[in-house]
Amino acid sequence: MEISLAGRKALITGGSRGLGFAMAKRFAKSGAAVALFARREDVLGEAAERIREATGGHVWAHACDVADAVALKAAHEAMAEEFGHVDILVNNAGGSISGAFEDLTDEMWQQDFELKLFAAVRLARWCLPHMKARKWGRIVNILNIGARAPKPRGAPTQVTRAAGLALTKVLAGDGAPHGVLANALLTGQIVTDQIARRHERGLAGNLSLEDYIAEEGAGIPMGRMGTPEEYANAACFLASDAASYVTGTAMNIDGGLSPVI
Ligand SMILES: NC(=O)c1ccc[n+]([C@@H]2O[C@H](COP(=O)([O-])OP(=O)(O)OC[C@H]3O[C@@H](n4cnc5c(N)ncnc54)[C@H](OP(=O)(O)O)[C@@H]3O)[C@@H](O)[C@H]2O)c1
C-alpha cells in the first residue's frame, strides 16, 4: 500500500538509531517533515544527514535526554520555534535497565519511568493542543510485547510498558472526539543496537552477534528477528490517514512471538 504523509510534521524521540531512525526515514520518504530527539549530538546529526540524503526530506534534530523533564521542555520549545507544530508524535526513545528484582533501586525504577512513561506523558500534553486545534493528530507509543504479557523477570520495563499501554488508551479516549488517534506498537525482537547491547552484556555466551541473532530468531514462530524497516511500515500506517478508524489499540510486531493477541 502506498502511504502518504505529505504535509505532516512528525516528532520521533530516539530517532537517531534503530527503530526510531527507520521510522524517521520511512516517514520522510512518505513526505513528512521529521524532528528527532536523542542524546548523542554527533550520532543524531549524522542520522539527520543520512535521512536528508536518502529522502530529500526536511529533517530537524535536537540533542536532548528525554528522561530529563527540564531538558525535554527546552527541546520542545526549541522545536516549536524552529520546526513548528507536531501532527505525529512517536514516543520511541528507550533503553533497558534490568536485573534481579532485589537489586533494582528506586532510582532505577524512577529512571525507567521518566524515560519510557513520563517523557511520553509530557510530550503528549504539549503536542495535544495543536493536534486538537487542527482536528488531526497521531500518537504512536513504542512499547514491547511484555506490556500485555509481562515476564516475571525483566522489571522495570515490563511494568513501565504496561503503564504505556494504559496511557495509550487514555490518550485515545481523550483525542478521539478531536480526530487525534493514539495507538501502540508492541515490539518483539527487532535487529538494532539494543540486540547488539544484549549480546555485549554476555547474554549470548560465546556466540558471535550474527549467530546470536540467528539462534534467538529461530525461537520466534517466523524463524527470525524482524528488521527496523518492517517495523517502520507498521508505524507509517498508524501515522497516516489510512489508519483513520484505528485508535486505542496495540499491535504486536513480533513475528508471532507474543503468547497473547
Ligand atoms: N529492538 C528491539 O527488539 C526492542 C524490543 C523491545 C522494545 N524496544 C523498544 O523500542 C525502542 C527503540 O529501540 P531500538 O531497538 O531502536 O534501540 P536503539 O537502537 O538502542 O535506539 C535507541 C534510540 O533512543 C535514543 N535514546 C535512548 N535513550 C534516550 C534518552 N534518554 N533520551 C533521548 N533519546 C534516547 C538513542 O539515542 P542516544 O543513545 O544518543 O540517546 C537511540 O536513538 C525503545 O523504546 C526500546 O526499548 C526495542
Side-chain angles (χ1 to χ4, degrees):
M1 189 197 313
E2 207 40 62
I3 290 176
S4 172
L5 300 180
R8 303 294 184 199
K9 290 186 171 198
L11 167 63
I12 301 171
T13 67
S16 64
R17 306 288 291 178
L19 305 183
F21 176 79
M23 290 187 280
K25 193 171 162 192
R26 180 69 170 86
F27 287 15
K29 217 172 175 175
S30 296
V34 293
L36 313 176
F37 289 163
R39 290 167 302 179
R40 289 166 298 171
E41 197 159 12
D42 52 339
V43 179
L44 184 62
E46 192 196 311
E49 197 46 46
R50 279 171 60 201
I51 297 170
R52 282 185 205 107
E53 274 172 19
T55 67
H58 175 51
V59 186
W60 182 88
H62 191 92
C64 149
D65 180 348
V66 303
D68 176 337
V70 176
L72 185 61
K73 190 159 195 301
H76 180 265
E77 283 169 3
M79 184 191 66
E81 204 172 303
E82 295 163 26
F83 177 78
H85 68 270
V86 170
D87 301 302
I88 301 162
L89 167 64
V90 182
N91 291 305
N92 164 74
S96 51
I97 298 171
S98 65
F101 192 86
E102 303 91 302
D103 297 335
L104 294 171
T105 62
D106 281 1
E107 288 71 26
M108 289 159 100
W109 278 93
Q110 268 157 8
Q111 173 64 16
D112 208 61
F113 271 86
E114 289 291 341
L115 172 58
K116 297 179 187 162
L117 185 70
F118 285 111
V121 168
R122 291 173 182 130
L123 285 172
R125 186 192 300 140
W126 300 328
C127 292
L128 266 170
H130 297 279
M131 293 180 180
K132 286 180 176 176
R134 297 166 70 88
K135 297 254 169 260
W136 198 98
R138 299 285 187 269
I139 299 173
V140 182
N141 291 326
I142 302 306
L143 308 175
N144 69 21
I145 54 175
R148 267 198 302 228
K151 289 187 187 150
R153 268 189 77 89
T157 194
Q158 309 283 324
V159 178
T160 322
R161 296 316 198 180
L165 206 54
L167 174 67
T168 304
K169 204 70 182 166
V170 166
L171 290 172
D174 187 82
H178 308 278
V180 179
L181 313 182
N183 293 288
L185 290 177
L186 307 190
T187 319
Q189 299 214 52
I190 313 291
V191 182
T192 66
D193 288 357
Q194 182 154 311
I195 303 296
R197 281 196 300 274
R198 229 183 277 165
H199 176 258
E200 275 164 25
R201 284 204 301 267
L203 298 182
N206 290 327
L207 291 177
S208 67
L209 175 60
E210 206 175 54
D211 288 345
Y212 172 60
I213 290 169
E215 193 168 295
E216 286 282 301
I220 295 170
M222 283 188 70
R224 63 174 178 86
M225 290 190 188
T227 68
E229 291 73 27
E230 289 175 303
Y231 195 91
N233 284 334
C236 192
F237 163 70
L238 289 177
S240 74
D241 280 321
S244 55
Y245 200 57
V246 182
T247 196
T249 194
M251 198 193 299
N252 295 333
I253 309 291
D254 69 344
L257 181 61
S258 176
V260 297
I261 289 174

